[in-house]
Amino acid sequence: MTQTPEISLPTNPLLSAAVSGVRTVRPHGVYRLHGMVKADDKLIAIDPVRGHLLQIDPSSDNTVVLNPFQAREFQDVTGLAIWEDTLWLTRGNSVYFCKDALSSLGKQKLEPEHFVTLNYPADGVAVWDAAVYVTSAKAGSIMIFNRYSGTQITQFYAPGIGVENLTVREEELWVCDATEQTVYCMDRATGEVLFNILTPFESPTGLAFGVNPATGKEMLYVAYSGEEIYIRDDPNSFDPHQLAFRDRVLIHPLNFHYNREGRYTLSNGYLLEFCYVEELSPLEEQQFENLEWRIALPAETHRQKLRSVEPIGLPFTEEIQDGQRVAVFKFDSLSSHEARIFGWKALVEVRSIKYQLDPLDVENLPPLPPEFKERYLVDNDNLAMDGSIVRNAAIEAVGRETNLLRQVLNIRDYVYDHLSYGIKPQIDPPDVVLERGVGSCGEYVGLLLALLRLNGIACRTIGRYKCPPYADRRVPQYPDYNHVWLEFYVPGFGWVPMESNPDDIQERGPYPLRFFMGLAWYHVELGKGIRFESLRLAGVPVHKRDIPIGDLALNHIRFKILEELVDFD
């Protein structure tokens, strides 16, 4: 009997996409894409800029205009739904429907009929049986109407703060929010959010369930509409290379896994090649004997896995420090005149994560472990926690709130209300930052740490680098700056992440919650709970103020996305 040989899956990204069915769809001639529905094996969506009702083939990108003779009538349409043979759409403050639309598309003129007019702009629409669901960012709600009478049945609070589109899958209402960079799965009967999913790209503007052509399994497609920066070549200019913007529209499958027991959702992941290298370049004459240069390695978390690591330039030994892996480069003697390049290259699996805790989940918490009080409630990093400015801010930020999650959110919003983002060469203490009103990501973190700790909430600095957030690019990418965020501790549950400043997007709010208890795939966690990089002389730790590493070397950081991860092992 002949055995069938094992077949290896291809490692070429294009071939892998063909096998898995996970491919980025790029419709032709599209400026924006809002609303999206499935019709047979195709997707139908609207381009509100041109008024084109489009049929898109997700397997080939083929794009067909279904309303060639009445595009102007469909300009500014933002929501789209199909129930049976009727097309539903939103435009301005009103909702319309077109009977016998599917059988008429591309053959005869569509005749929109008025359904209902709202007091505010209607953004998205979805229909299931007798219920018509309409989103309105201005109203901050999802309104439900009777399909036969046009009367409003009830309404839910919108889960996010931005413009939302939606679709229905049996008993679930699925909503995407362009500002929140999030898809919400809701109970369509009660409006309860069952879980959230961070999307791999910004500005999701439509979503629809379809079938993976490669596997035959159900797949959630999400449309994204935005702009991208590119270098424009103008041969008539003295400086032919100019910075410009262009529309960026794509559709990509949203892969996700909800871990009910762990209370978190993982979504689209990528295999990164991450290189961190130091180039010896001292500002002053230096001579060191018996020096250890310690650089933390990528951490192991729910959303991140370190596949492998290898040295660059010089060998290193590996140690475990507080449960974290650290690369240790040892120099018997190191002088300013030496030319050195050293570091590591890591293969890291990264995914987006969003935790699903709400205030009711954190009532009646157990006490904080004693060792946490000694480590995560003290001023151990120039946080000015003894000063009146910071202590008064800690009281003002929380007010009378006693619930831990609401306290953390109140503190975050207080910091966002009082600071604007700005890059600085050094980190000032929180009292100086609060009076100045401008801070870098590290200064946001410093103020957040101080206010949280003064309110008895254990927290710590996390992070170090973000991969440039271009999930569809397979070329080397170089971040311009390092980055830090933080984690706060929920007794009885564990550490939960919170971004420092990226959600501070508008003056005095409202602020999105996308990175409150969530991180995108491009956040790379390094050395959780320990310093990312440090020095030791003759085995004795050196304080960063005594010998700043930035005065000794230049760092070089490079990311490359190797492939998209499909499975959630």
Side-chain angles (χ1 to χ4, degrees), residues 455-471:
N455 280 286
I457 301 170
C459 52
R460 64 187 183 186
T461 303
I462 300 295
R464 197 59 186 183
Y465 287 98
K466 293 197 297 186
C467 176
Y470 308 112

Side-chain angles (χ1 to χ4, degrees), residues 296-316:
L297 296 172
E300 296 274 348
T301 70
H302 291 317
R303 58 170 291 272
Q304 183 172 291
K305 177 182 178 181
L306 178 58
R307 276 196 188 180
S308 64
V309 63
E310 61 185 70
I312 294 176
L314 295 173
F316 64 79

Side-chain angles (χ1 to χ4, degrees), residues 103-311:
S103 56
S104 303
L105 285 175
K107 301 175 184 177
Q108 61 189 52
K109 187 175 181 180
L110 298 173
E111 299 291 344
E113 299 181 42
H114 179 265
F115 175 69
V116 69
T117 295
L118 311 181
N119 293 325
Y120 301 101
D123 301 317
V125 62
V127 182
W128 187 269
D129 199 8
V132 179
Y133 300 84
V134 183
T135 65
S136 174
K138 187 71 173 179
S141 60
I142 300 172
M143 289 155 276
I144 299 94
F145 297 87
N146 184 288
R147 180 164 64 92
Y148 302 105
S149 65
T151 57
Q152 184 172 340
I153 302 169
T154 186
Q155 68 180 38
F156 307 141
Y157 287 113
I161 67 168
V163 173
E164 297 177 337
N165 239 297
L166 69 171
T167 191
V168 181
R169 185 179 70 165
E170 297 181 350
E171 300 307 312
E172 298 166 346
L173 190 63
W174 291 75
V175 182
C176 66
D177 189 296
T179 302
E180 297 277 5
Q181 197 178 327
T182 300
V183 168
Y184 304 88
C185 177
M186 305 172 64
D187 185 317
R188 73 179 183 90
T190 65
E192 177 190 0
V193 175
L194 303 177
F195 55 88
N196 307 345
I197 312 167
L198 281 173
T199 61
F201 303 94
E202 293 182 340
S203 301
T205 51
L207 71 171
F209 283 93
V211 175
N212 185 326
T215 65
K217 297 181 180 179
E218 188 177 55
M219 175 179 288
L220 177 57
Y221 290 98
V222 178
Y224 302 88
S225 301
E227 290 185 325
E228 64 181 358
I229 299 175
Y230 74 105
I231 303 298
R232 177 175 176 267
D233 186 3
D234 183 0
N236 295 321
S237 174
F238 175 77
D239 183 7
H241 297 120
Q242 302 173 356
L243 198 64
F245 290 86
R246 61 188 172 200
D247 296 307
R248 182 172 185 260
V249 180
L250 56 90
I251 302 170
H252 194 82
L254 180 61
N255 298 313
F256 61 92
H257 171 71
Y258 176 40
N259 186 314
R260 190 180 301 275
E261 183 179 350
R263 305 297 298 274
Y264 62 83
T265 305
L266 297 175
S267 52
N268 294 60
Y270 299 88
L271 178 62
L272 301 181
E273 179 187 272
F274 175 24
C275 301
Y276 185 88
V277 172
E278 290 286 3
E279 173 199 353
L280 197 63
S281 181
L283 297 180
E284 299 177 356
E285 289 290 329
Q286 299 279 1
Q287 179 71 37
F288 301 105
E289 303 296 330
N290 195 12
L291 172 69
E292 287 186 3
W293 199 304
R294 308 170 66 87
I295 308 175
L297 296 172
E300 296 274 348
T301 70
H302 291 317
R303 58 170 291 272
Q304 183 172 291
K305 177 182 178 181
L306 178 58
R307 276 196 188 180
S308 64
V309 63
E310 61 185 70

Side-chain angles (χ1 to χ4, degrees), residues 417-437:
D417 284 345
H418 288 78
L419 294 187
S420 298
Y421 179 68
I423 291 288
K424 292 181 70 278
Q426 78 281 342
I427 303 294
D428 288 325
D431 53 350
V432 175
V433 174
L434 198 55
E435 288 191 310
R436 186 175 62 229

